[in-house]
Amino acid sequence: MEKYDVVVVGGSCGGSAAATTLARAGRNTLIIDKAKFPRQKLCGGMITEKTVRLLQKIYAVSFENLIGSHYNAFGVFHASHGKVSSHRAEHALSMIHRDDFDDFFLKEAMKAGCTAYLGDRVVSVRKGIISTAEGREIAANFIIGADGCHSIVRKAVRRTIKYEPAPIGLEVNIPYDNLTFYSSSEKIFPWIFFGYVQCGYGWLFPKKDFATVGIAGLTHHDDKNLLAAFKLLLATMCADPAQFIGEIKGHPVPLNNSFEEPGIDNILLVGDAARLVEPLTGEGIYFAVLSGSMAARAILTQGDHAGIYNSL
């Protein structure tokens, strides 16, 4: 049986931040992820200036080539009133593609000395032993669950939580030749859309080669189907609402943060696995990276590691 100081389940931005910090400190660290990187991940792909600063602090490497564009303004649109307003942003808003973004930082973790098993799915976590779909049995002193909102590691914690319906996000990429939202004299920057769902919003995030359009809402509060609302949103900005890149994809957004203590014994949950998402905007990347680095710091500190993590 293999043995590691720390096994990080999930190689996305939170898991890589934890693994990089631990590997640099000399801990024998393994990342397991069911996907082979680079892989597609549903995400608006906008990061804030605070996220950029945090990544620079953790990795101390240049990743400017991952950022396709910067914007210092955003607009607000309402389904009934049209373009309501636009505002200068206090800090820069940067656009990234999650496939390249996550792949880059996973490779940084591997450069730091972390081992990675990609394309192998964790099927159970029991008494410090991780079992995978390919038949691996791996022991770990600590386990970090960075495996998203459907976390298999979280199930091992066996918490009892009340049911809180999570919002659903839908998203698709629109080619610019089909995007009619921006007038020829108007500057291009991100827009937020209200009035299409009762509890949620839509977004238009311009990237280098296309724009990412999405919507998220608490469907049990709405009197209309979320997909129907999304198609109305697309009709607002597209010459042909049926013309887009790939297919419309959806995923839960874990806003229902029910974990006061995301660390128990030798298991620490980070990012979406701990439901660490900003409840108003749905921002998750910053909190995934921050919680990943905090989990690593807790493991590197003497004492009650879970208690230290929960108090950070």
Side-chain angles (χ1 to χ4, degrees):
M1 180 181 294
E2 297 179 67
K3 176 72 181 289
Y4 288 86
D5 295 329
V6 186
V7 173
V8 181
V9 182
S12 192
C13 50
S16 292
T20 299
T21 304
L22 290 162
R24 285 177 176 170
R27 298 299 191 272
N28 188 20
T29 306
L30 169 69
I31 287 179
I32 305 177
D33 197 290
K34 63 184 179 182
K36 293 184 178 180
F37 285 53
R39 53 87 177 94
Q40 291 187 339
K41 182 177 178 67
L42 188 72
C43 178
M46 183 170 73
I47 60 173
T48 55
E49 206 167 282
K50 67 182 180 183
T51 306
V52 172
R53 290 196 299 268
L54 178 61
L55 289 166
Q56 290 170 337
K57 179 180 180 180
I58 293 172
Y59 292 96
V61 295
S62 173
F63 52 89
E64 184 64 28
N65 61 318
L66 296 177
I67 298 175
S69 51
H70 299 280
Y71 300 98
N72 290 98
F74 67 94
V76 176
F77 185 100
H78 192 276
S80 301
H81 307 292
K83 294 180 179 180
V84 177
S85 62
S86 60
H87 308 268
R88 287 195 59 81
E90 184 178 350
H91 302 290
L93 306 171
S94 301
M95 300 296 164
I96 53 100
H97 297 306
R98 280 299 296 272
D99 50 353
D100 297 329
F101 183 85
D102 289 344
D103 185 51
F104 177 87
F105 291 112
L106 174 62
K107 287 176 179 175
E108 286 300 310
M110 295 169 68
K111 288 178 184 178
C114 177
T115 303
Y117 292 156
L118 304 179
D120 193 4
R121 179 171 55 87
V122 171
V123 294
S124 71
V125 179
R126 186 168 175 268
K127 295 182 179 180
I129 305 297
I130 293 171
S131 301
T132 76
E134 292 191 2
R136 291 185 170 105
E137 296 284 321
I138 304 164
N141 294 329
F142 296 95
I143 298 169
I144 294 179
D147 49 339
C149 62
H150 297 304
S151 171
I152 191 72
V153 178
R154 187 175 66 231
K155 294 178 181 178
V157 177
R158 295 188 174 87
R159 286 182 176 272
T160 299
I161 60 172
K162 63 180 180 180
Y163 172 70
E164 296 183 27
I168 300 296
L170 300 176
E171 194 171 79
V172 75
N173 294 321
I174 305 295
Y176 279 109
D177 59 7
N178 187 33
L179 193 65
T180 57
F181 183 79
Y182 296 109
S183 65
S184 58
S185 60
E186 187 176 41
K187 290 185 177 180
I188 293 178
F189 49 75
W191 282 78
I192 302 299
F193 295 78
F194 294 104
Y196 293 88
V197 290
Q198 291 185 27
C199 296
Y201 68 93
W203 58 88
L204 167 59
F205 291 166
K207 308 290 180 63
K208 181 179 179 180
D209 300 318
F210 53 81
T212 297
V213 179
I215 195 170
L218 284 166
T219 54
H220 66 290
H221 281 307
D222 278 289
D223 58 1
K224 63 181 106 178
N225 179 276
L226 185 64
L227 180 58
F230 191 35
K231 289 180 178 179
L232 286 175
L233 175 62
L234 292 173
T236 301
M237 59 184 68
C238 298
D240 180 2
Q243 180 190 339
F244 37 77
I245 301 170
E247 59 185 23
I248 295 174
K249 294 184 177 180
H251 201 271
V253 183
L255 298 183
N256 45 333
N257 186 350
S258 302
F259 298 105
E260 294 181 2
E261 296 182 344
I264 291 184
D265 298 328
N266 70 333
I267 295 179
L268 309 180
L269 303 175
V270 306
D272 282 5
R275 297 176 176 172
L276 296 176
V277 176
E278 208 287 325
L280 182 61
T281 65
E283 179 184 9
I285 294 176
Y286 174 78
F287 300 101
V289 175
L290 181 61
S291 60
S293 65
M294 285 180 168
R297 282 164 43 200
I299 290 172
L300 295 172
T301 303
Q302 295 295 322
D304 175 10
H305 305 281
I308 292 169
Y309 178 52
N310 292 335
S311 67
L312 289 175

